[in-house]
Amino acid sequence: MKLIKKIIYWKLSLQFYLITFLRNKFYDFDLLKSFSFEIPVISVGNLAVGGTGKTPMVEFLIKKFSNKYKIAVLSRGYKRKTKGFIIASEKDDASTIGDEPFQYYLKFKNIKVAVDKKRKHAIKELINTGINMIILDDAFQHRKVIPTYSILLSDYSNLYFNDYLLPRGNLRESKSGYKRADSIIITKCPENLSENNKQYLIKRINPKYNQHIFFSKIKYSDELFSANNSINISKLSNQKVDVITGIVNSENLIKHLEEKGLLINHFKYPDHYNYKLKDLSKIKEDFIITTEKDYTKLRKFNIENLYYLPISMVVSSEKNLMEKIEKKIG
């Protein structure tokens, strides 16, 4: 049975390869038209499906550039219940614009957040509002728009060059797609990643002469936040808590909380899960922790003692990365 399954997946992966290969070639040879814009457009994306740290990377860029540019973050708004172009406003929530865009909207008041499946159309609309920098969220495969600078992310625990095309693996397109990136960032690296390991990974990637490789790690906040309160995580040591996650990989979060001494009762849901009231009936403890992304959807239930743990991205050679981006965008 396993052999039959492997054969089926291999055949489906081959078909997927042919489709994505032809699509990319059509763009490469201008048989499908791509468009560039007069303002800087920074694309953040990956080759694999989900879980590479796109949201922390987008937030990293917002923090770095929002004092110089009028920024808009543009996403397609995955799993939203609306259609068309929307600029986030007070009437929106995770259901109307998607969980990650809503997270940006709640967190950054000095930027615009927009969603539209047709990114070329959305960029034109945003430029008309006075925006002079666009950050494209999850847009590496969106070739209709030519980014000024393209950042490709790959999770250290599941590097794209060890992966396979869907459905055999998690890749959205061939591994050779990495060649379109200006910078490749290996995300979620361990604290003690050695220079020898970095050089090994750079060799495996085999970057083009004009590509740059960076390494990053996730930094967890010391504080947990609710709608109107915060608490230092150290105060919860040896306390039983419920943890609710709807992300691709929650292992690192659970490990971090356990290392802080928390006693975890984990409720794990699929990525981008739309929570229902009945899901909350399983909660037993008086203190509930979730991710910042999941909080955007759980907040509507007004759960008492619901807290989220923010994360941020720390990029090694951060100054070098910023110099590369600023040089390219002018």
Side-chain angles (χ1 to χ4, degrees):
M1 189 64 183
K2 287 185 179 180
L3 179 59
I4 294 174
K5 190 175 182 180
K6 284 184 178 180
I7 293 171
I8 292 172
Y9 278 7
W10 180 83
K11 287 185 176 181
L12 290 173
S13 293
L14 181 59
Q15 292 176 12
F16 191 69
Y17 168 78
L18 290 172
I19 293 168
T20 54
F21 173 82
L22 288 172
R23 178 179 180 272
N24 278 322
K25 288 302 177 185
F26 284 171
Y27 277 110
D28 291 341
F29 293 114
D30 212 23
L31 297 173
L32 289 175
K33 188 67 177 174
S34 298
F35 298 87
S36 58
F37 293 87
E38 66 272 21
I39 67 169
V41 177
I42 302 176
S43 169
V44 176
N46 51 17
L47 289 175
V49 176
T52 57
K54 292 186 296 294
T55 302
M57 186 69 229
V58 169
E59 293 187 354
F60 172 91
L61 294 170
I62 293 170
K63 292 171 185 175
K64 292 297 178 183
F65 285 112
S66 59
N67 63 331
K68 299 179 183 178
Y69 293 90
K70 295 179 180 178
I71 292 176
V73 175
L74 176 58
S75 170
R76 65 172 172 151
Y78 184 63
K79 283 197 172 184
R80 63 183 171 125
K81 296 178 180 179
T82 58
K83 293 183 179 180
F85 175 69
I86 297 174
I87 295 179
S89 65
E90 290 182 1
K91 70 177 184 294
D92 290 301
D93 58 21
S95 69
T96 61
I97 61 173
D99 49 16
E100 287 155 347
F102 190 49
Q103 178 176 322
Y104 304 139
Y105 174 74
L106 290 175
K107 198 167 186 176
F108 300 99
K109 298 304 180 183
N110 58 339
I111 69 167
K112 290 186 185 295
V113 178
V115 293
D116 195 348
K117 188 177 180 180
K118 298 177 180 178
R119 288 177 174 88
K120 173 194 163 190
H121 167 262
I123 291 173
K124 288 182 176 181
E125 293 289 336
L126 288 166
I127 290 174
N128 289 337
T129 70
I131 290 298
N132 59 12
M133 174 180 276
I134 304 284
I135 300 175
L136 294 178
D137 184 14
D138 194 11
F140 195 73
Q141 284 74 37
H142 190 85
R143 303 222 30 206
K144 188 172 284 292
V145 172
I146 302 172
T148 318
Y149 200 92
S150 179
I151 298 173
L152 176 67
L153 307 179
S154 187
D155 187 337
Y156 177 84
S157 65
N158 187 29
L159 294 161
Y160 74 86
F161 51 74
N162 292 327
D163 208 344
Y164 299 94
L165 276 170
L166 290 164
R168 184 184 176 192
N170 293 306
L171 296 184
R172 300 173 175 182
E173 62 171 297
S174 168
K175 302 171 189 180
S176 63
Y178 85 92
K179 295 176 183 178
R180 299 198 306 274
D182 293 292
S183 284
I184 300 166
I185 302 180
I186 307 301
T187 62
K188 305 180 184 179
C189 294
E191 289 281 346
N192 58 350
L193 186 63
S194 69
E195 284 301 318
N196 285 341
N197 282 339
K198 289 180 181 180
Q199 291 305 314
Y200 169 75
L201 292 174
I202 292 172
K203 187 176 180 180
R204 286 293 310 273
I205 291 171
N206 189 26
K208 295 163 58 181
Y209 74 95
N210 60 339
Q211 288 184 308
H212 311 282
I213 312 298
F214 296 91
F215 299 86
S216 72
K217 61 184 179 180
I218 292 296
K219 180 181 179 182
Y220 293 94
S221 171
D222 291 328
E223 298 285 318
L224 293 160
F225 295 87
S226 67
N228 48 26
N229 194 20
S230 66
I231 184 171
N232 194 288
I233 198 168
S234 62
K235 293 183 178 180
L236 299 176
S237 183
N238 295 317
Q239 182 172 328
K240 289 183 179 180
V241 300
D242 286 332
V243 177
I244 304 173
T245 63
I247 56 178
V248 174
N249 185 351
S250 54
E251 292 178 7
N252 290 337
L253 170 62
I254 299 303
K255 181 181 178 182
H256 174 76
L257 294 175
E258 288 177 340
E259 287 175 349
K260 292 293 183 179
L262 281 67
L263 306 177
I264 305 298
N265 183 28
H266 185 199
F267 298 96
K268 185 177 181 180
Y269 294 90
D271 193 26
H272 296 285
Y273 182 72
N274 288 317
Y275 295 96
K276 304 171 185 64
L277 190 59
K278 65 180 182 180
D279 297 320
L280 308 181
S281 63
K282 303 173 184 178
I283 294 174
K284 299 177 182 178
E285 304 303 333
D286 294 331
F287 204 95
I288 304 101
I289 298 174
T290 191
T291 69
E292 195 166 3
K293 182 172 80 169
D294 291 304
Y295 182 80
T296 65
K297 289 172 286 191
L298 289 167
R299 67 199 291 271
K300 67 183 179 182
F301 297 109
N302 296 317
I303 306 167
E304 190 176 355
N305 289 329
L306 173 67
Y307 285 76
Y308 66 87
L309 179 63
I311 63 173
S312 58
M313 178 176 282
V314 179
V315 181
S316 65
S317 304
E318 175 186 306
K319 183 179 178 182
N320 189 19
L321 172 62
M322 294 306 300
E323 286 173 352
K324 302 296 184 190
I325 298 175
E326 289 173 346
K327 183 178 180 180
K328 188 82 182 286
I329 68 176

